[in-house]
Amino acid sequence: MVNSVHGHKPRTQAAHRSRRWFMNKALLAGGVSAVAVMGGYTASQAGAEETSTADATASATPSRPPTGGGRTIAYDDFVGVTTDGTVISDLYAIHRTGVSTTPVVRAGSAFVNSLTDDQKAATLYDIDADQWLDWTNVDSNDRDGIALRDMDEKQYKLAIKLLKAALSARGLENATQIRKLNHFLGEYSGDTSKALNYDAYWFTIMGTPSATDPWGFQFEGHHLVINYFVLGDQVVATPTFRGSEPTKITYDGVDYHLFREETAAGLKLLRSLDAARLATAAPGTEQKTGTNLTVGAHNDNAVLPYKGIRGSELNRKQQKLLLDLVEVYTGTIDEGHSRVWLRDIEKHLDDTYFYWIGESEDDSAFYYRVHSPVVLIEYDAESPLAYHEDDDSSSASPSASATPTASASAGPGGGMGGPNGTPTRQHIHTIIRTPNGNDYGVDLLKLHLATDH
């Protein structure tokens, strides 16, 4: 179909099947594989932290497909995360939220109109494009769309303005800090020319920015992926992946401590539980490994049963702490739509489960999950891949001698990344999803097409 705003024909389903699947199939192995030089730094390759280079496609050797999700699925095959393979119906509806999307529509239109024809050809997709599902948190240059670093000054400002319109102040600050520490990792490894770069983050636009028709954007790079679907005044901002390695550091004279709120809110809820409730939320039947995250990239149709303690088993104070924890994640989008999102989640509070793996000391590396019919959150302290701090160091800065290593003696996180490594709070992954078919706004789009077209 022709884009009515700028007369440019977006990529069709046949045209945009990404070449990146071939690279990902080679790189996303279950468990720990051999240490390899990737993306300008040496890292242990594992299922949860997939690592690659700009030219990995040519040299990659096929391996097992991504854990849990197999190959990257097509948009038409999307089902969403379920507990047993069956989608719960009638969870989502097209309705008025009363929260304007005018700022993000205007920002999206201005950004699209600033692109050249060649840039539009690389960046614009149909609303139901496979591109939605073709994201990854790896440090890869092999991405579609247009990178921040390839924009002129005007385009760059408009791109950031689009992010600012879509996100809350807290969400934008967190995204900026993730990008900053990604650049630190490039300096730490001695190479910022590839994906370990502050501006190695790509935009793609699905559909045409509109006040009435469905559209959205994807912002994608190492440790930061934001999917943002818009229909009228409704917004779906999942899947959103946020992570960092390191998370706590002094860099260029600035103190960073990413995911402090996510960590504290999880601990606060867990510590509010009495012994009986604690035994249900954290039964100790699973080990905290170097990677416990289950619904990352290429796991769009994952089957994940509920575990942990159900919201209906919590007292009012604990239910409030559960909502506070959820808000840390939903609160990264603009404030009005964040409130709408949280209210929708609260309607299912009794059926919201909280699950914990690992210890719960102030410095523990742990995993937790919040899971209901309409929200799925994972927080995972993972094993180190590229960054290792000295045992007696609480801060770090790039230097010629700060060379990443994957040796077993590299630092307090244990040297090896992946499931067999020792987890550390210096490497954290988080994700939030909308189960039962509404990631990427898919369910809303189906309803829109069924009722309006």
Side-chain angles (χ1 to χ4, degrees):
M1 65 180 179
V2 176
N3 187 310
S4 61
V5 170
H6 43 68
H8 183 82
K9 186 177 178 64
R11 297 190 191 186
T12 62
Q13 288 291 93
H16 66 58
R17 302 278 181 179
S18 174
R19 66 190 181 281
R20 194 163 6 124
W21 170 70
F22 296 100
M23 178 191 72
N24 284 334
K25 183 178 179 183
L27 293 176
L28 306 186
V32 180
S33 63
V35 174
V37 177
M38 298 288 213
Y41 66 83
T42 304
S44 173
Q45 176 61 38
E49 175 80 50
E50 314 107 18
T51 311
S52 59
T53 64
D55 56 358
T57 309
S59 60
T61 302
S63 181
R64 284 168 44 184
T67 55
R71 60 154 288 175
T72 301
I73 62 171
Y75 188 94
D76 290 343
D77 297 324
F78 173 83
V79 174
V81 177
T82 61
T83 58
D84 60 4
T86 302
V87 173
I88 301 173
S89 60
D90 300 326
L91 288 171
Y92 310 106
I94 296 174
H95 62 92
R96 295 293 302 273
T97 68
V99 181
S100 176
T101 54
T102 298
V104 75
V105 171
R106 288 178 175 172
S109 296
F111 172 67
V112 168
N113 290 334
S114 75
L115 302 178
T116 67
D117 287 343
D118 287 344
Q119 289 170 334
K120 288 175 181 177
T123 306
L124 306 184
Y125 289 80
D126 290 338
I127 186 60
D128 58 350
D130 294 347
Q131 177 64 28
W132 279 118
L133 284 69
D134 193 21
W135 61 268
T136 178
N137 58 286
V138 306
D139 57 307
S140 170
N141 271 333
D142 187 27
R143 301 179 190 270
D144 297 307
I146 181 172
L148 289 171
R149 65 185 176 198
D150 295 327
M151 299 178 189
D152 62 29
E153 183 178 359
K154 177 183 178 182
Q155 293 168 340
Y156 191 100
K157 289 181 178 178
L158 290 173
I160 299 303
K161 189 173 181 179
L162 175 54
L163 284 180
K164 187 175 182 179
L167 304 179
S168 65
R170 171 157 58 90
L172 182 62
E173 180 184 24
N174 176 258
T176 302
Q177 290 177 339
I178 289 171
R179 292 167 53 209
K180 287 279 190 183
L181 293 195
N182 187 50
H183 197 92
F184 162 81
L185 204 58
E187 291 189 7
Y188 181 80
S189 68
D191 186 1
T192 60
S193 66
K194 299 183 179 70
L196 301 182
N197 182 290
Y198 179 64
D199 288 328
Y201 292 85
W202 281 254
F203 266 103
T204 50
I205 305 290
M206 273 58 85
T208 302
S210 168
T212 55
D213 295 330
W215 71 283
F217 70 85
Q218 186 177 83
F219 184 68
E220 180 195 15
H222 186 220
H223 276 146
L224 179 62
V225 183
I226 299 169
N227 290 285
Y228 199 92
F229 172 88
V230 182
L231 176 59
D233 65 1
Q234 289 180 266
V235 163
V236 178
T238 62
T240 289
F241 181 104
R242 294 172 182 262
S244 187
E245 184 187 20
T247 61
K248 185 178 182 181
I249 196 171
T250 300
Y251 174 42
D252 282 349
V254 177
D255 293 331
Y256 294 89
H257 192 175
L258 278 67
F259 304 106
R260 178 167 47 188
E261 291 183 347
E262 291 84 351
T263 301
L267 283 169
K268 189 172 184 179
L269 173 56
L270 188 79
R271 291 171 177 176
S272 74
L273 304 179
D274 56 34
R277 291 184 173 102
L278 185 62
T280 303
T285 54
E286 288 188 73
Q287 180 184 359
K288 180 68 191 90
T289 67
T291 173
N292 293 93
L293 191 121
T294 58
V295 293
H298 312 115
N299 284 278
D300 290 294
N301 285 354
V303 175
L304 187 67
Y306 293 130
K307 289 186 178 182
I309 190 166
R310 190 175 176 179
S312 58
E313 301 175 49
L314 303 176
N315 62 36
R316 288 188 178 182
K317 178 181 178 181
Q318 292 160 346
Q319 288 182 339
K320 174 63 166 56
L321 291 176
L322 177 56
L323 275 179
D324 289 345
L325 173 57
V326 172
E327 195 279 331
V328 173
Y329 293 85
T330 60
T332 58
I333 66 171
D334 69 280
E335 286 81 359
H337 288 103
S338 172
R339 289 193 294 270
V340 171
W341 193 3
L342 193 63
R343 284 199 301 268
D344 290 342
I345 293 170
E346 188 174 6
K347 294 174 184 176
H348 299 268
L349 190 62
D350 281 350
D351 297 321
T352 302
Y353 289 76
F354 177 64
Y355 180 60
W356 188 280
I357 302 174
E359 302 298 325
S360 58
E361 302 302 320
D362 288 345
D363 59 351
S364 294
F366 49 78
Y367 164 95
Y368 66 72
R369 180 160 79 228
V370 177
H371 191 185
S372 86
V374 296
V375 71
L376 173 54
I377 294 167
E378 288 189 289
Y379 166 107
D380 193 29
E382 307 217 337
S383 57
L385 287 178
Y387 173 76
H388 301 273
E389 60 183 355
D390 296 331
D391 287 333
D392 59 353
S393 174
S394 60
S395 65
S397 59
S399 68
S401 62
T403 304
T405 177
S407 68
S409 60
M416 184 65 73
N420 294 332
T422 304
T424 170
R425 291 236 291 259
Q426 282 287 34
H427 188 190
I428 290 175
H429 286 183
T430 71
I431 191 166
I432 181 168
R433 283 185 175 270
T434 306
N436 292 297
N438 208 32
D439 272 338
Y440 315 103
V442 173
D443 197 71
L444 288 186
L445 179 61
K446 288 179 180 178
L447 290 170
H448 170 75
L449 294 175
T451 57
D452 294 354
H453 293 274

